[in-house]
Amino acid sequence: MLMRTDPFRELDRLTQQLMGTSGTWSRPATMPMDAYREGDVYVIALDIPGVSADAIDIDVERNMLTVKAERRPTTKGENVQAELSERPLGVFSRQLMLADTLDTERIEADYEAGVLTLRIPIAERAKPRKITIGGSAQPQQISE
């Protein structure tokens, strides 16, 4: 049997449940994220621990990036009785509007240790480039 020693932890858990931290498909919970630029690539890291890779859905439509994930309950045996359940279950979602300067055709996704990492390169057309000034063509001399 599991003994609870902190009465305020249970109160926090109940408050989170009432505030809707467990998501549903019609009202998904958000997932925390970090976003930063690393050279010519934007990196987005989303925390979704306990979610299997096949339960993550990543879509891009025009410039809208949508990440949805579902944490499902673990399968328990017949004679198992839950004593405490604090980890949120349900659907998590995050939508991001991407700039036109990002190449949405070449997004890479990795999932390791509960962190989904998306790498979005900057489009070639958006990178600064040097414009050279071409010289005018010199008339050629015709020799007789």
Side-chain angles (χ1 to χ4, degrees), residues 88-106:
L89 300 174
V91 180
F92 303 86
S93 179
R94 194 73 185 238
Q95 283 191 314
L96 301 167
M97 182 64 92
L98 302 178
D100 290 332
T101 57
L102 298 177
D103 188 351
T104 58
E105 298 292 322
R106 300 186 318 154

Side-chain angles (χ1 to χ4, degrees), residues 21-40:
T21 56
S22 292
T24 63
W25 282 106
S26 62
R27 200 174 225 168
T30 61
M31 54 187 86
M33 70 171 231
D34 291 334
Y36 54 93
R37 184 173 174 171
E38 189 176 81
D40 287 340

Side-chain angles (χ1 to χ4, degrees), residues 37-68:
R37 184 173 174 171
E38 189 176 81
D40 287 340
V41 175
Y42 274 95
V43 180
I44 299 169
L46 299 145
D47 283 350
I48 43 178
V51 175
S52 63
D54 62 337
I56 300 171
D57 187 30
I58 306 167
D59 288 320
V60 177
E61 184 176 338
R62 297 188 187 182
N63 289 3
M64 182 65 71
L65 172 73
T66 303
V67 178
K68 280 192 177 182

